[in-house]
Amino acid sequence: MGSTVLFSPAKINLFLAVTGRRADGYHELVSVVVPVDFGDTLGIETRAGDEFTLECADPAVPRGESNLVLKAARLFAEMTGRAGGAAFFLEKRIPIGAGLGGGSSNAVAALRGLNFLAGEPLDAAALAALAARIGSDCALFLPGGPVVMRGRGERVEPLAVETAARLRGRRMLLFKPGFGIGTPWAYAQLAAAGEKNYLPAAEAEARLAAWSRDARAPAEAILFNSFERPVFQKFPALPVLLENLAAEFGLAAHMSGSGSACFAFLPDGVATNAVAARIHEAWGMAALVVETKIC
Ligand code: C5P
């Protein structure tokens, strides 16, 4: 019997190029993704028997087998052949339908925790393979720092140390309107508009390579998201505010993943309170506004 508590970070896509659609319906992408110091907390207690349970005070968190924590636990038991159950306690802060990878991050925290409590039966490669089976946005959380993600999300490599150093510690404001966006819906919108929403893979790779090579290129220079065009068309409240933040505060704000959360780097000297007030004025008090930084 044992227990552990893990931090389960949110992620932000600084660069998200959807490069095309595959025969199986999934999309190919090239993305620079960073974990931030804002996130959930997952407690795990091993239990006799073979049952996995999840407690969470947030009613929006899916229950039962559709929850990625329970899916992770089931796959971990299957892959390791280990008997024994566990109780999971999730303190939820990352909103759902935000493009912040909350559910995927929770699943990876569950995998890590179960592996630790079992004496590390799975190595890094086995954990990566398992993570990819849980969801496209899971494997990116395993390295624990800035990564480049390719394929449908399962091919992940850490950014070169000097490139990651340009990102780590950068302060950002994370903000989300009261509504969320479902990832399958956003992909369907993007696909419906055909080729014009895809950035060809060669161009995505060339942009990434040029940014990585240029040691003076700031984090701001890589910002791009293929989902912005289709999602902004349906939710004009997003681009209207982002344009206002650019005009009034000089902030280059973008959406993360398939939305609806957005983010902006905070240059020194920008009054965070004034920006937060502007966001609440535009999106109402139901909007979430958090200051965070890249891990
Ligand atoms: O893999 P995951 O279950 O997280 O994906 C959720 C949905 O998002 C998929 O069913 C698919 O519609 C879409 N998706 C996609 N291409 C990806 C990742 C997700 O089309 N690379």
Side-chain angles (χ1 to χ4, degrees):
M1 295 296 119
S3 66
T4 188
V5 177
L6 300 101
F7 176 61
S8 175
K11 61 87 173 161
I12 291 177
N13 301 83
L14 300 182
F15 178 78
L16 174 49
V18 179
T19 59
R21 194 166 190 210
R22 314 190 321 189
D24 65 3
Y26 276 92
H27 291 78
E28 290 281 329
L29 40 92
V30 178
S31 185
V32 175
V33 201
V34 295
V36 293
D37 70 359
F38 166 72
D40 300 336
T41 307
L42 184 70
I44 310 178
E45 287 176 13
T46 54
R47 292 275 197 264
D50 58 3
E51 210 193 344
F52 295 109
T53 59
L54 174 69
E55 273 182 37
C56 178
D58 184 343
V61 169
R63 306 285 145 160
E65 286 308 289
S66 68
N67 189 286
L68 294 187
V69 166
L70 297 175
K71 185 174 176 186
R74 200 165 27 78
L75 285 173
F76 179 83
E78 193 181 297
M79 193 157 199
T80 57
R82 295 178 69 91
F88 295 96
F89 304 91
L90 179 62
E91 216 173 293
K92 197 76 194 150
R93 291 180 209 90
I94 308 172
I96 290 165
L100 298 174
S104 307
S105 174
N106 296 161
V108 170
L111 278 187
R112 263 194 225 287
L114 290 171
N115 200 42
F116 165 74
L117 292 168
E120 314 278 342
L122 300 184
D123 62 13
L127 282 175
L130 201 48
R133 282 176 65 193
I134 300 167
S136 305
D137 268 356
C138 287
L140 72 92
F141 286 103
L142 281 168
V147 297
V148 181
M149 172 170 111
R150 293 185 175 86
R152 80 170 165 88
E154 80 285 8
R155 280 164 45 215
V156 169
E157 56 177 323
L159 270 190
V161 175
E162 48 301 352
T163 316
R166 271 188 257 160
L167 305 177
R168 284 190 204 267
R170 282 292 307 263
R171 286 193 314 134
M172 41 169 67
L173 203 65
L174 193 56
F175 45 104
K176 179 192 163 287
F179 62 87
I181 293 174
T183 301
W185 176 88
Y187 270 108
Q189 293 299 117
L190 189 134
E195 292 301 313
K196 79 170 197 286
N197 280 337
Y198 300 131
L199 185 72
E203 196 181 328
E205 294 290 356
R207 276 201 210 181
L208 180 56
W211 176 75
S212 305
R213 235 183 357 251
D214 181 358
R216 285 162 314 166
E220 284 82 348
I222 194 63
L223 300 180
F224 173 79
N225 186 343
S226 292
F227 282 105
E228 286 181 353
R229 182 172 13 205
V231 169
F232 285 5
Q233 250 170 24
K234 297 280 174 176
F235 297 103
L238 301 177
V240 166
L241 175 62
L242 300 198
E243 280 158 26
N244 287 338
L245 294 181
E248 293 167 31
F249 300 97
L251 294 177
H254 283 268
M255 194 171 76
S256 179
S258 53
S260 61
C262 298
F263 65 93
F265 286 109
L266 285 171
D268 291 336
V270 168
T272 310
N273 287 350
V275 182
R278 186 69 186 83
I279 294 166
H280 282 130
E281 183 191 325
W283 287 352
M285 290 315 285
L288 170 86
V289 184
V290 199
E291 186 176 332
T292 183
K293 63 177 190 294
I294 298 177
C295 295

